[in-house]
Amino acid sequence: EPEVTQTPSHQVTQMGQEVILRCVPISNHLYFYWYRQILGQKVEFLVSFYNNEISEKSEIFDDQFSVERPDGSNFTLKIRSTKLEDSAMYFCASTSTGSGYTFGSGTRLTVV
Amino acid sequence: KNEVEQSPQNLTAQEGEFITINCSYSVGISALHWLQQHPGGGIVSLFMLSSGKKKHGRLIATINIQEKHSSLHITASHPRDSAVYICAVQKTSYDKVIFGPGTSLSVIP
């Protein structure tokens, strides 16, 4: 069964550093999403992306965050200057017409 | 106010028991998802429903659109069913998913 692949599975970074989280959505999907889950809390929406542009973003998704689809397969989330409170599990998801909504296995980001 | 609520928050069951987890939501939706998450793990999609009932193995999901309510049932529960079960909704197709708080299930041998 097709999967959404996320790399790395775990990333540790120093506060203030930039991180890029990578996702490879299912190949024929057209709608892409990032979510995050702070430890012990529910999953929260960050941003949705369609047709090479952001279609919706939450208030969490401030100027520190950006998303990009640099080629036909990757979908990335960049955090420019990480803060301690950015420590969370980040999930990518994708969907398309007639397809289910598929989540990746997540990247655990730890900011120290 | 949370748009998606679940009950119970925590559930402990003996192996073999029939389990029900409930979800209620306050918005109009195009689809409702039941998801499973193991500790420290990724999110696995169990069901996507827009009406009626779906069954997969020992899992059954139902939805009542008029009452804005859904249930997830697990028959003949097993310790490997121990996980967090999350109800989530989409207001329209291709929309973001709005997550509930999850129900933490522990099945004891």
Side-chain angles (χ1 to χ4, degrees), chain A residues 33 35 37 45 56 97 101, chain B residues 33 37 42 94 96-97 99:
Chain A
Y33 311 84
Y35 296 85
Q37 184 179 34
F45 168 73
E56 186 180 356
T97 309
Y101 207 100
Chain B
H33 301 258
Q37 186 177 33
Y94 316 125
K96 64 183 182 288
V97 173
F99 287 77

Side-chain angles (χ1 to χ4, degrees), chain A residues 9-37:
Chain A
S9 57
H10 189 192
Q11 174 136 10
V12 181
T13 190
Q14 294 266 338
M15 193 167 56
Q17 294 295 304
E18 174 183 286
V19 294
I20 297 176
L21 309 183
R22 301 181 193 280
C23 170
V24 179
I26 292 173
S27 61
N28 62 346
H29 282 186
L30 300 175
Y31 299 84
F32 314 110
Y33 311 84
W34 282 102
Y35 296 85
R36 79 169 186 192
Q37 184 179 34

Side-chain angles (χ1 to χ4, degrees), chain B residues 77-94:
Chain B
S77 59
H78 191 276
R80 65 174 174 268
D81 297 326
S82 298
V84 175
Y85 291 84
I86 304 171
C87 174
V89 302
Q90 280 177 270
K91 293 181 185 178
T92 61
S93 299
Y94 316 125

Side-chain angles (χ1 to χ4, degrees), chain B residues 19-48:
Chain B
I19 288 162
T20 296
I21 299 170
N22 294 299
C23 173
S24 59
Y25 53 91
S26 57
V27 295
I29 66 169
S30 66
L32 181 141
H33 301 258
W34 280 104
L35 309 160
Q36 182 192 56
Q37 186 177 33
H38 285 282
I43 295 171
V44 174
S45 181
L46 299 175
F47 297 103
M48 188 167 101

